[in-house]
Amino acid sequence: MNLRLLSWNVRGFNNPHKRDTVKNLLKEWKCEVVCFQETKLNRTNSAAVKSLWGSSFVDWVALDAIHTAGGILVVWDTRVYEKIDCVVGNFSVSILLKGVADGFVWICTGVYGPNDADLRDALWAKLDSVRARWSSTWYVFGDFNIIRYPAKRLGCNSFSPGMFNFLDFIERNFL
């Protein structure tokens, strides 16, 4: 199984020039599944997704932004994958996908994590429930808005409780 995935924090699709740039790059990169974070779109529709994807062979699941803050859009090529099921949380979009050609079933989760440390526990709980719901191979990608290790942030030299919770989530679900 050779997956062609892309995770991209677009920081907003409200600018038509940015949408054109994204559309052109998607055509060039030929991705099969793309997760956009921070779409800042408070309403996603089929016409906009098909225009962005550049083809009618597309399906999608979105978590719309709240007052143009946040937002996740996961799109995929329907010639390659079909949706079996999906779960949309407050900070994630999870889709159970099946390969059209090979029948390979896997979970695709796009994340745009909260900046508020108090809300992150809700993200970990939702993702744990996704893992409990489906037992297939799981790809989680996106912007968690938290780092795993202090060395990943300039001027950070100690672990925070949020980092420990992130590491605990990874250990629980990916050993």
Side-chain angles (χ1 to χ4, degrees):
M1 184 64 173
N2 185 20
L3 301 174
R4 292 188 314 214
L5 310 173
L6 174 67
S7 176
W8 190 350
N9 186 325
V10 292
R11 293 181 178 86
F13 273 137
N14 296 317
N15 181 324
H17 298 295
K18 183 180 278 189
R19 286 193 305 271
D20 287 342
T21 300
V22 169
K23 181 179 178 176
N24 291 332
L25 289 171
L26 289 178
K27 189 181 297 185
E28 179 183 333
W29 293 337
K30 297 177 176 59
C31 298
E32 297 167 344
V33 178
V34 179
C35 174
F36 297 106
Q37 306 92 42
E38 204 174 0
T39 63
K40 298 186 180 185
L41 297 174
N42 61 6
R43 185 174 299 182
T44 309
N45 63 56
S46 290
V49 172
K50 287 177 181 177
S51 172
L52 185 66
W53 192 249
S55 163
S56 61
F57 299 105
V58 63
D59 200 359
W60 56 279
V61 176
L63 169 62
D64 289 330
I66 298 172
H67 306 295
T68 68
I72 301 169
L73 174 62
V74 179
V75 296
W76 62 92
D77 188 326
T78 57
R79 296 170 295 186
V80 182
Y81 300 108
E82 68 177 274
K83 176 177 73 173
I84 298 172
D85 196 7
C86 70
V87 173
V88 178
N90 291 331
F91 309 103
S92 63
V93 171
S94 298
I95 305 111
L96 188 64
L97 294 171
K98 180 179 179 180
V100 172
D102 60 10
F104 178 69
V105 176
W106 59 288
I107 308 161
C108 172
T109 297
V111 173
Y112 184 63
N115 288 308
D116 183 340
D118 293 335
L119 296 176
R120 283 199 194 102
D121 288 341
L123 170 62
W124 308 138
K126 176 52 84 176
L127 294 177
D128 286 340
S129 75
V130 166
R131 186 38 144 179
R133 180 178 179 134
W134 303 315
S135 60
S136 301
T137 300
W138 193 17
Y139 293 86
V140 181
F141 52 169
D143 183 348
F144 289 87
N145 280 312
I146 186 80
I147 55 172
R148 290 175 63 188
Y149 303 109
K152 297 293 182 182
R153 176 173 291 142
L154 189 61
C156 183
N157 52 18
S158 63
F159 282 89
S160 71
M163 287 183 221
F164 284 124
N165 291 341
F166 190 23
L167 290 167
D168 288 346
F169 162 75
I170 293 167
E171 187 174 315
R172 270 194 315 277
N173 290 288
F174 296 100
L175 279 179

